[in-house]
Amino acid sequence: MKFLSVEEARSFAERWLPAWTGNNPERLADFYSDDAIYLDPGVPGGVMGKPALLAYFKKLLAYNPAWVWTQIEGIPMEGGFLNKWRAVIPVKGATVEIIGVCLVQLDEAGKIRRNEVYFDRSQLLAEIAKQKAETA
């Protein structure tokens, strides 16, 4: 496996991260291999395989169509990169900004074979709870 350069990581992220915005899960899933493994705080046990991943992305993106993800830094590692990112997430009348990291490992075809997303979601969950309480 090769190491991605900082520039290769940046270039990949510039194509991939915009696919998280909007509600087009098929476009996002196209970045992943058929046997991809994905996990985030919402699915800590992970999602395996493109059909399961696409089903998860359909729910996730439908709930968050206007969030925007940008790369802060790409740190090369064997087979991919560590992606330090910023997400700006609208929650009804408010906006939450989160900084996190994710492991991105690519297969030989340049598709994501493993994507592990890590961040503190306490601020996001608190804002969601606040918005629900205000509408209840």
Side-chain angles (χ1 to χ4, degrees):
M1 281 190 192
K2 75 173 209 153
F3 283 75
L4 264 68
S5 69
V6 170
E7 178 57 32
E8 289 170 322
R10 184 196 59 75
S11 179
F12 185 88
E14 284 179 349
R15 294 186 313 275
W16 167 56
L17 291 177
W20 285 90
T21 302
N23 190 5
N24 189 344
E26 291 82 7
R27 176 179 171 225
L28 179 57
D30 282 345
F31 284 90
Y32 291 80
S33 67
D34 290 340
D35 60 348
I37 299 168
Y38 173 88
L39 61 91
D40 68 25
V43 286
V47 176
M48 296 180 200
K50 198 176 241 178
L53 186 59
L54 182 56
Y56 180 65
F57 286 165
K58 284 180 179 181
K59 291 180 200 173
L60 188 63
L61 297 184
Y63 191 71
N64 300 288
W67 60 7
V68 176
W69 299 73
T70 54
Q71 185 184 63
I72 296 171
E73 181 180 11
I75 302 166
M77 56 178 257
E78 187 174 354
F81 61 102
L82 183 71
N83 188 46
K84 184 175 180 186
W85 50 262
R86 173 183 295 108
V88 178
I89 305 171
V91 181
K92 296 196 180 184
T95 301
V96 176
E97 184 176 316
I98 296 175
I99 305 294
V101 296
C102 65
L103 166 80
V104 179
Q105 292 181 309
L106 305 174
D107 67 10
E108 295 299 321
K111 299 280 187 174
I112 299 170
R113 68 177 178 83
R114 186 174 194 94
N115 185 197
E116 297 184 20
V117 182
Y118 298 98
F119 64 97
D120 177 0
R121 66 183 187 161
S122 60
Q123 180 187 6
L124 177 61
L125 294 176
E127 187 60 40
I128 291 169
K130 177 182 166 192
Q131 295 292 332
K132 284 183 180 179
E134 289 176 359
T135 59

